[in-house]
Amino acid sequence: METSESFFPNPQVNISLLPSADEVEWIPIHKSYLKISLIGTWILALVISIALICVLIFAGPFKYPWVLWAILGGWLLLMIASSIVQVLGFKIKGYALRDKDIMYRSGLIFRRVTVLPFNRVQHGEIKQGPIERPFGLSSLQIFTAGGSQSDLSIPGLKDDEAQRIRTFILEKVAGHEEL
């Protein structure tokens, strides 16, 4: 009589023998991407601040006008704090391109490392917004069969670098399908 172990072997893996994530050489996001992020944040801050000021001006006299000024001041403090978090978090962002997968890490407070094996990739796309264009930067989006939750987007890549990585990944995917 066969035991379930001999029918379906499933030996335990020794965790100490697995490669460490610390051995990965992370390639940092281009430094100009920090400027792009801050410009986007401050454009949003400016629009909302103008809206708050318009409320102050056109809403008429209030019993407690200092409340609206406190809201505006709080909003500006929030935007300054957001900018500080962006600057500190930028140093953590990076990617690693390996033979069988691509990795991306981000997050100052909540650290996130995403590993996307090439055998899950369906297609790749390069995006460039109006603020990124003058800096010569693009974002590489990689789409998988698992839906939007398993897709990967790497911002802040030089245009030619994004194109080379996309081509490399799609060649890997095409080579994998032929096997």
Side-chain angles (χ1 to χ4, degrees):
M1 179 170 166
E2 281 189 41
T3 64
S4 63
E5 177 116 359
S6 63
F7 180 70
F8 181 70
N10 192 11
Q12 187 168 350
V13 174
N14 185 347
I15 294 175
S16 63
L17 299 177
L18 296 176
S20 171
D22 295 336
E23 296 171 4
V24 173
E25 288 187 38
W26 295 100
I27 301 167
I29 300 301
H30 196 274
K31 59 187 171 190
S32 293
Y33 185 71
L34 178 59
K35 294 175 190 171
I36 292 168
S37 294
L38 291 173
I39 288 169
T41 297
W42 284 98
I43 287 173
L44 175 67
L46 181 65
V47 168
I48 293 176
S49 297
I50 289 171
L52 286 172
I53 290 170
C54 286
V55 167
L56 280 171
I57 293 171
F58 296 113
F62 290 103
K63 186 173 183 180
Y64 303 107
W66 61 269
V67 172
L68 292 175
W69 286 107
I71 291 171
L72 180 61
W75 170 250
L76 290 176
L77 285 175
L78 181 65
M79 296 314 301
I80 290 169
S82 172
S83 297
I84 291 170
V85 169
Q86 281 181 329
V87 169
L88 296 174
F90 177 78
K91 297 174 185 175
I92 293 160
K93 290 182 181 183
Y95 67 96
L97 187 60
R98 303 189 304 178
D99 190 45
K100 297 184 186 332
D101 58 31
I102 187 165
M103 301 173 71
Y104 177 67
R105 75 173 177 187
S106 62
L108 176 66
I109 298 169
F110 298 101
R111 205 55 67 87
R112 181 178 183 167
V113 176
T114 304
V115 180
L116 185 65
F118 295 141
N119 64 356
R120 304 263 305 139
V121 173
Q122 285 190 329
H123 71 281
E125 192 175 286
I126 296 174
K127 290 188 172 185
Q128 188 179 56
I131 300 175
E132 293 170 311
R133 199 168 296 120
F135 290 94
L137 297 181
S138 298
S139 294
L140 174 63
Q141 264 192 304
I142 304 166
F143 298 92
T144 64
S148 64
Q149 292 298 319
S150 59
D151 295 342
L152 178 65
S153 181
I154 302 174
L157 299 174
K158 289 301 266 179
D159 294 339
D160 62 330
E161 183 180 11
Q163 186 62 45
R164 286 194 325 267
I165 294 170
R166 180 182 173 269
T167 301
F168 174 81
I169 291 171
L170 294 180
E171 286 174 356
K172 283 285 193 179
V173 170
H176 181 74
E177 289 174 355
E178 293 172 6
L179 296 176

